Structure formats: structure tokens, C-alpha cells
Amino acid sequence: MEWMVWTTPTALFFAAIAAILLGMTAWEVVSPTVERKGFLPIATSRGDRLFIGLLTSAYIHLVVVGFTPLSIWLALGASVVWLLVLLRWG
């Protein structure tokens, strides 16, 4: 593991992803999900919506970093809002 530089933001990022996955697993055990159709064109479970949300959040960050001079914090805020909208109504 010496090849990877574990900065504080990197460690916090992976810790947050792990916490989200543990939380979603606990939620699934307590209350099993039922697939439903929201504004996405397919029926999805909570896990599906989480995966889609994390994937699109990565793309939001890539677009902001690659094509705009905006702060990465704006991308983080947009990603959190998008993930919450997707989990609720997706």
C-alpha cells in the first residue's frame, strides 16, 4: 500500500463510501426493499439507486474538474443533492 498516498481527503472519501454502504446494508436488513419506478426509466431498488447516484456523482466531479474553473466543493454539493433526489424520487 506504499504506492498510494493516503491524504486526509482520500481517507475521508473512502470512509464515507464505507459508511454509506454499511448504512444501506443495515437499512436493507431492517426493511427489505421493493423495486419501484420513479423518474428513472427502469424499476430500481434502493441499492440500484445508490449505485446510479454514486456513478453519476463521479461524472459530475469529472465534468467540474475537467471542464470548468469551479470549486470541487460545488461539485460535492451538487452530487449530494443529486444523490438525495435520486434516492427519494428516482
Side-chain angles (χ1 to χ4, degrees), residues 4-90:
M4 186 167 181
V5 178
W6 284 93
T7 62
T8 302
T10 303
L12 290 174
F13 171 77
F14 283 108
I17 296 297
I20 289 170
L21 291 174
L22 286 173
M24 288 293 284
T25 300
W27 189 10
E28 185 68 27
V29 168
V30 171
S31 171
T33 187
V34 176
E35 286 193 357
R36 65 175 174 83
K37 187 158 177 6
F39 65 80
L40 293 173
I42 56 174
T44 57
S45 67
R46 281 190 295 253
D48 297 334
R49 291 188 299 276
L50 175 66
F51 176 76
I52 292 168
L54 291 174
L55 189 63
T56 53
S57 293
Y59 285 116
I60 290 169
H61 279 80
L62 287 173
V63 167
V64 167
V65 168
F67 299 110
T68 70
L70 299 174
S71 170
I72 195 71
W73 294 107
L74 182 64
L76 177 64
S79 294
V80 168
V81 169
W82 166 245
L83 186 59
L84 293 174
V85 167
L86 186 62
L87 286 173
R88 176 65 182 103
W89 295 290

